Amino acid sequence: MPLLDPGHGALRPRTGSGHVPAHDRVPEDLADGTPQPLRDDLIRLLDAEKVLWKVSDLVRYASDASPYRFVPQVVVVAEDTEDVSAVLSYARENGRQVVFRAAGTSLNGQAQGEDILVDVRRHWAGVEVLDEHGARARIGPGTTVVRANASLMPYGRRLGPDPASAIACTVGGVVANNASGMTAGTDGNSYRTLASLTFVLPSGTVVDTAAPDADEALALAEPALCEGLMALKADIEADAQLTSRIRAKYELKNTNGYRLDAFLDGETPVSILRGLAVGSEGTLGFISEVVFDTLPLNRHTSTGLLFFPSLAAAAAAVPRFNEAGAMAVELMDGNTLRASVSVAGVPADWAGLPKGTAALLVEFREPDEAAQREREREASAVMADLELVAPVPSVTNTFTRDAKTIGFYWKARKAFVSAVGGSRPSGTTLITEDFAVPPSRLAEACEALLALQERHGFDAAVAGHAAHGNLHFLLAFDAADEDDVARYAAFMDEFCRLTVERFDGSLKAEHATGRNIAPFLQLEWGARATELMWRIKQTVDPAGVLAPRVLLDRDPKAHLRGLKSIPKVEAVGDPCIECGFCEPACPSGDLTTTPRQRIVLRREMLRQPAGSAVNESLLESYGYDAVDTCAGDSTCALACPVGIDTGAMMKDFRRLRHSPRAERNAERAARRFRVVERAARLALAAADTLRRRVLPRRGDRLLASLTGAARKAVRPDLVPEWLPQLPAAAAGRLPATDRHGAAAVYYPACVNRIFGEPHGYEGPSLPQSVVIVSARAGRPVWIPDDVVGTCCATIWHSKGYAAGNALMANRIVEAAWRWTDGGRLPLVVDASSCTLGIGEEVVPYLSPANRSLHERLTVIDSVAWAAQELLPRLTVERRQESAVLHPACSTQHLGGVEQLRTVAEACAEEVVVPVDARCCGFAGDRGMLHKELTASATAREAAEVTARDFDAHLSSNRMCEVGMDHATGGRGYRSVLLELERATRPE
């Protein structure tokens, strides 16, 4: 054990004497993880790195966005179709069952299993645009919808399905559930826009439905399957009443059960399979690849958020906007609107909206401005006849073309589940239902639903795709309380009868059947159609290997099995509904755990009794998997609709692990930071001399060996590892400047006072460049004489050292107040993470007096300074042909990504932001403490960057630049301010 290993005792949850273990806790027999022989069998079959078997692995994959929780026996991380086929063969031969999971954003338990769970997200992402116009695209099932649309955007195209969870949900899941979203309706969903797919059958046979000989090959490989599918087609087509019923059912949005119209639309076994695969929820096979027919993007957008006195009034207006050609008409009730104030950017006065208030979010998208003007005219004519209200000052009831305002409207709408769910009572489980009725009866359905919720004691919260008669609502109850579960069960029975018998509606419009509607399938479809669905399952999966009880279940109480308890955890994470929106942004997601999983693991610890062997195993893994490998970048808070900052939670856990001695040493380092800073610069200079002059061939290896030994002896999370891409030391002296006439105070961050520019760079340093280019623009800056020894406090804040953080936070604010003449001048900071630190992150740790001083400071990032103050006053003399940008996570927090692009576009003819750009995971020095974090976080972005040549590799934060240099093999990432100085340097 390393000398200063903190152990895991400090991470143990504190429970009181009245703690009651949860009914759904992981059993003790899984404390050692996957049982034998299953673990060794799969390791022999697939290799050890593809088999996740620790109990912490099983727990983190047991929860998803649904109200259900089933613990798998093992998790397999499949890399290709060969892996999938091998697992399916093993399951058939050994009587086991398999469930596929990608993003885990499904709302009905479709991605949960009790035996072998296969992760088909990590290695399955990618987009290939198949023609010069972007009309078709081949997409991997692990690709998020946002990622796919980003690849199509340059072509002016998009996917048809556009679910609210597009930031996180994957294309494979969208197809497997036939998810549709805001605008897809019944014409733009996966069933209608999917050109072809590649499907791995339960037998292991791989079917590419686009192959010219697909039917011939399938008949040869699976004759019984082909015969069974054609027999089902004949039986359906022979029943005129059933055929008519099937066609009628799909006039509404409907994802309940198998897609029976596949037998009416398909003429051959392969074409039938292509249709059946859509919405099959992983019960018939694995979708390993899809080809979509894309749709026009129509960039000319006009959007209005219109407020009504009642839900019924809003619903009654929907047909009018449909007739006017609206692309989307979204409904939100008062509870939804009020809960949305937890979403960043939503006006605070929405909290005061009257109870009965409702709103419609109406959007028109057109190919040109003339068509846009015509739609706006038609919308105005509709609005003239409506009873609109403005109960709070922020309500305008107007249409806008402003992209920022439109983005805020959609953010509020898409946050429905998380915002409303996040405000539920602590400890309650959240159920998300969706159903569809004929759009003409939407107002009636809203009234009936609200009355039903009130009758059963549930708070009403309704939103939906009103244009298509598709409503969503939420129910919160305590899954550990038998009476509360009975209340939920009674509600579901009555709700399902209401939807089917009164409205002839769809019990699942776009979320797919799942575990909570499977028992009600026959209620909607009738006995004849339901038995045909059982025949489909038997025909395609005769051994019952895939996803049992997910879509078909004869148990009338199946929807009450596996409901998950929600123990109360740390306050910052407690509102989490486990939606998974945070996961694509997380740099550690492919290495250890995601923000959602960090919270899921804490909840399991609190389900366990005192002295639990399961808890000991979870705690043993949690230190590295959750705490050490969290970058602490808080991009999870940006992605989370209610701003849950799991990074802050992990920083607090780091604080808990520190001994009093460690805290004192950290505070001492803060007090003597001038010495620490100088020592770090000297050490870097000595190391650079060793590797370049003394041992030019073996220097890097020797330094890595020395630091590696120190890490083993002391603690990997304390001693950085030497990386070949670390630059030489910065110059010991900062540029001379004059306070007189300065337009701003320039604060060179400590990282730029310690680390120099990348290897091979020739030109002025970053501090010199900022001084030069500011003077060149007539906006000179002044560097105070005493900046050495100060810091933004992020070093201590990110590591959880409370005393050192408070000391440095107050020191830098006091210094900034003095430097800026009491806030008269702005403070320009040349590292985006330090701008964020001084501008925002220090605030909670300031004394009351210093907090008052901070309120009067203006802290500006150097990129914003360049974009706003310098560029308009500069002449560009030369430009690079191409540049690639890495927007640092702190730049995202500051809202400065567009400013970064603006400065870069002044310096290069072509500017590229990689589609897969995200936090690099370097996080100050964390990339030197755990280089595997940066390697994992940057893998996709680095592949995109190194696939072609760029003339410049630019960012706005020195340590992120070092991290990206490490990831790309030394491409020479540098500050965009260096490039701006070069571009505007006089001839």
Side-chain angles (χ1 to χ4, degrees):
M1 178 181 291
L3 183 64
L4 298 181
D5 191 293
H8 56 247
L11 299 178
R12 191 181 306 279
R14 304 291 185 258
T15 56
S17 58
H19 174 66
V20 178
H23 68 283
D24 59 338
R25 64 186 180 275
V26 172
E28 289 285 289
D29 59 10
L30 283 180
D32 293 328
T34 300
Q36 299 290 10
L38 179 59
R39 182 199 307 179
D40 285 350
D41 284 352
L42 290 175
I43 288 174
R44 280 193 297 269
L45 183 69
L46 300 167
D47 296 331
E49 68 273 10
K50 298 179 183 178
V51 180
L52 305 181
W53 57 267
K54 295 188 301 182
V55 67
S56 60
D57 297 324
L58 308 185
V59 168
R60 63 192 177 96
Y61 276 92
S63 294
D64 62 6
S66 79
Y68 298 100
R69 183 170 177 272
F70 293 99
V71 181
Q73 295 292 296
V74 70
V75 177
V76 169
V77 182
E79 289 190 6
D80 48 38
T81 54
E82 287 76 14
D83 285 347
V84 172
S85 293
V87 171
L88 291 174
S89 295
Y90 175 83
R92 283 197 323 276
E93 293 166 6
N94 292 274
R96 308 207 70 110
Q97 298 161 341
V98 176
V99 170
F100 299 109
R101 172 176 172 141
T105 55
S106 295
L107 296 168
N108 303 314
Q110 299 98 309
Q112 293 184 335
E114 299 170 82
D115 197 359
I116 302 174
L117 189 71
V118 182
D119 181 321
V120 290
R121 178 194 61 84
R122 187 177 304 180
H123 299 294
W124 298 83
V127 180
E128 179 188 1
V129 178
L130 297 178
D131 63 275
E132 61 180 336
H133 304 295
R136 278 194 172 180
R138 177 177 288 111
I139 307 172
T143 310
T144 64
V145 173
V146 160
R147 166 71 173 80
N149 281 334
S151 296
L152 291 168
M153 186 177 291
Y155 302 88
R157 309 291 292 185
R158 65 176 178 88
L159 296 183
D162 65 336
S165 57
I167 189 176
C169 69
T170 58
V171 169
V174 166
V175 176
N177 291 305
N178 198 20
S180 48
M182 316 292 180
T183 64
T186 56
D187 296 325
N189 61 22
S190 296
Y191 188 82
R192 298 299 179 193
T193 60
L194 194 69
S196 67
L197 55 79
T198 302
F199 203 50
V200 184
L201 294 169
S203 62
T205 298
V206 179
V207 182
D208 178 358
T209 65
D213 63 344
D215 275 297
E216 180 181 344
L218 184 63
L220 188 63
E222 305 276 353
L225 170 62
C226 293
E227 182 181 340
L229 291 175
M230 296 310 291
L232 280 160
K233 176 178 172 64
D235 284 355
I236 292 171
E237 290 181 333
D239 188 333
Q241 185 177 1
L242 177 61
T243 299
S244 176
R245 179 63 176 159
I246 291 170
R247 289 301 189 194
K249 288 294 291 178
Y250 291 114
E251 289 178 5
L252 288 181
K253 292 175 70 171
N254 193 325
T255 59
N256 195 13
Y258 290 124
R259 190 84 196 202
L260 291 179
D261 57 347
F263 292 97
L264 305 179
D265 298 330
E267 296 299 328
T268 68
V270 167
S271 59
I272 291 170
L273 264 181
R274 174 252 171 237
L276 280 177
V278 178
S280 62
E281 305 173 47
T283 63
L284 301 180
F286 168 57
I287 300 168
S288 64
E289 186 178 83
V290 295
V291 175
F292 267 99
D293 289 322
T294 64
L295 303 179
L297 188 55
N298 289 346
R299 300 175 190 268
H300 293 263
T301 303
S302 301
T303 308
L305 187 61
L306 313 177
F307 286 73
F308 295 80
S310 68
L311 195 61
V318 172
R320 299 286 307 280
F321 286 110
N322 284 345
E323 292 166 6
M327 172 69 76
V329 184
E330 296 293 304
L331 177 70
M332 292 178 278
D333 78 338
N335 279 348
T336 301
L337 293 166
R338 286 189 294 276
S340 296
V341 297
S342 61
V343 177
V346 172
D349 62 6
W350 282 19
L353 288 169
K355 182 178 180 180
T357 306
L360 291 180
L361 173 56
V362 183
E363 184 161 288
F364 297 90
R365 299 180 196 167
E366 300 301 328
D368 54 56
E369 188 168 351
Q372 183 180 27
R373 285 196 300 270
E374 177 60 22
R375 292 300 188 197
E376 289 172 341
R377 186 192 64 76
E378 293 178 21
S380 297
V382 171
M383 289 171 61
D385 296 332
L386 298 179
E387 182 188 358
L388 300 177
V389 297
V392 295
S394 66
V395 171
T396 62
N397 289 323
T398 58
F399 277 80
T400 180
R401 296 182 179 186
D402 180 66
K404 186 176 181 180
T405 304
I406 292 171
F408 138 65
Y409 288 163
W410 280 110
K411 186 175 182 181
R413 166 60 188 93
K414 291 180 178 182
F416 167 64
V417 173
S418 296
V420 178
S423 63
R424 76 197 187 286
S426 180
T428 57
T429 298
L430 189 70
I431 299 276
T432 306
E433 289 293 350
D434 92 297
F435 68 109
V437 300
S440 61
R441 301 186 67 185
L442 184 68
E444 180 187 355
C446 286
E447 292 177 343
L449 175 62
L450 292 176
L452 182 64
Q453 288 176 310
E454 185 175 349
R455 187 158 62 250
H456 288 273
F458 288 106
D459 290 335
V462 179
H465 315 312
H468 311 292
N470 179 192
L471 292 174
H472 303 278
F473 64 93
L474 306 176
L475 305 173
F477 64 95
D478 186 351
D481 185 327
E482 290 184 5
D483 292 339
D484 233 16
V485 173
R487 180 168 64 103
Y488 162 66
F491 173 89
M492 284 300 295
D493 287 344
E494 192 170 349
F495 160 71
C496 290
R497 289 197 305 273
L498 173 75
T499 302
V500 172
E501 295 169 2
R502 179 171 168 181
F503 295 102
D504 193 20
S506 307
L507 290 175
K508 279 297 175 187
E510 61 176 0
H511 293 170
T513 313
R515 296 177 183 273
N516 59 333
I517 291 297
F520 302 99
L521 181 64
Q522 185 167 321
L523 174 66
E524 176 176 341
W525 277 98
R528 167 90 165 115
T530 303
E531 286 308 311
L532 285 169
M533 293 182 190
W534 280 97
R535 277 181 59 191
I536 292 168
K537 174 66 171 173
Q538 178 64 30
T539 299
V540 181
D541 183 19
V545 167
L546 287 176
R549 309 190 70 172
V550 163
L551 189 150
L552 296 170
D553 200 322
R554 298 193 191 276
D555 178 1
K557 295 185 177 181
H559 60 304
L560 307 179
R561 190 178 75 93
L563 291 169
K564 66 183 172 188
S565 64
I566 305 290
K568 186 173 183 177
V569 295
E570 287 75 14
V572 66
D574 195 55
C576 176
I577 63 166
E578 302 174 8
C579 68
F581 282 25
C582 57
E583 293 194 336
C586 179
S588 63
D590 288 341
L591 176 68
T592 50
T593 57
T594 66
R596 167 169 63 176
Q597 291 172 343
R598 289 175 167 97
I599 295 171
V600 162
L601 288 164
R602 290 301 283 181
R603 284 177 171 160
E604 181 56 40
M605 293 177 197
L606 285 157
R607 291 188 182 100
Q608 294 291 324
S612 160
V614 169
N615 255 6
E616 292 307 309
S617 294
L618 293 176
L619 287 165
E620 188 175 337
S621 300
Y622 200 78
Y624 174 77
D625 288 352
V627 182
D628 291 347
T629 53
C630 174
D633 63 302
S634 296
T635 50
C636 50
L638 296 177
C640 175
V642 292
I644 294 173
D645 188 348
T646 314
M649 184 172 158
M650 295 303 108
K651 291 171 190 173
D652 195 51
F653 287 155
R654 290 171 189 165
R655 178 187 62 80
L656 292 174
R657 291 197 300 179
H658 295 323
S659 67
R661 180 179 180 183
E663 278 284 359
R664 289 193 299 272
N665 288 337
E667 184 181 16
R668 190 175 295 115
R671 289 189 185 280
R672 302 175 182 177
F673 190 62
R674 176 186 292 270
V675 176
V676 173
E677 178 184 333
R678 184 169 183 271
R681 190 166 52 248
L682 289 173
L684 200 58
D688 191 61
T689 300
L690 175 67
R691 68 175 173 176
R692 293 185 180 279
R693 299 180 184 178
V694 180
L695 296 169
R697 294 183 180 179
R698 296 184 292 115
D700 280 323
R701 288 199 301 273
L702 177 60
L703 289 165
S705 178
L706 291 172
T707 56
R711 285 162 58 80
K712 289 180 181 178
V714 180
R715 181 181 158 201
D717 205 51
L718 284 179
V719 179
E721 181 174 357
W722 178 260
L723 302 177
Q725 284 75 28
L726 287 175
R733 291 181 178 275
L734 292 167
T737 54
D738 190 347
R739 183 170 189 170
H740 179 70
V745 176
Y746 168 34
Y747 180 68
C750 66
V751 292
N752 293 319
R753 303 194 304 262
I754 295 171
F755 293 92
E757 312 314 325
H759 301 311
Y761 170 79
E762 295 181 359
S765 68
L766 178 58
Q768 290 171 332
S769 293
V770 174
V771 170
I772 291 169
V773 78
S774 296
R776 190 178 291 156
R779 304 289 285 164
V781 293
W782 170 63
I783 302 175
D785 295 335
D786 58 345
V787 296
V788 175
T790 62
C791 174
C792 66
T794 299
I795 296 172
W796 292 267
H797 173 60
S798 66
K799 295 178 181 296
Y801 289 111
N805 179 37
L807 187 153
M808 190 58 80
N810 284 277
R811 179 190 291 177
I812 187 61
V813 168
E814 291 165 2
W817 177 258
R818 178 166 40 81
W819 295 335
T820 62
D821 194 16
R824 184 180 64 82
L825 292 175
L827 182 74
V828 176
V829 185
D830 64 4
S832 55
S833 62
C834 303
T835 310
L836 183 67
I838 300 172
E840 300 178 22
E841 292 178 341
V842 299
V843 174
Y845 310 100
L846 298 176
S847 67
N850 283 341
R851 191 171 297 187
S852 178
L853 299 183
H854 186 274
E855 289 174 356
R856 286 174 277 179
L857 292 177
T858 301
V859 182
I860 301 177
D861 189 63
S862 58
V863 172
W865 172 253
Q868 297 167 1
E869 297 293 329
L870 306 186
L871 263 181
R873 299 175 170 88
L874 291 169
T875 300
V876 175
E877 302 288 351
R878 62 192 63 77
R879 302 174 83 196
Q880 302 277 16
E881 288 189 13
S882 63
V884 63
L885 292 184
H886 173 73
C889 50
S890 47
T891 304
Q892 297 176 48
H893 281 285
L894 293 167
V897 174
E898 286 307 310
Q899 293 172 326
L900 177 66
R901 182 188 282 272
T902 296
V903 177
E905 286 175 345
C907 304
E909 299 289 341
E910 177 196 14
V911 174
V912 174
V913 177
V915 173
D916 285 311
R918 63 174 177 177
C919 173
C920 66
F922 209 78
D925 67 347
R926 194 140 297 268
M928 292 184 281
L929 299 172
H930 302 287
K931 66 180 181 182
E932 67 277 15
L933 175 60
T934 293
S936 178
T938 59
R940 291 176 185 165
E941 180 180 358
E944 195 173 342
V945 170
T946 56
R948 57 164 287 189
D949 291 329
F950 291 97
D951 296 305
H953 298 72
L954 307 175
S955 190
S956 61
N957 200 74
R958 190 69 196 101
M959 300 318 292
C960 297
E961 292 154 16
V962 173
M964 288 305 300
D965 251 10
H966 177 61
T968 59
R971 285 298 196 274
Y973 274 83
R974 59 185 183 269
S975 171
V976 71
L977 271 295
L978 295 176
E979 194 58 37
L980 180 64
E981 190 284 321
R982 192 199 73 86
T984 59
R985 193 182 302 159
E987 295 285 356

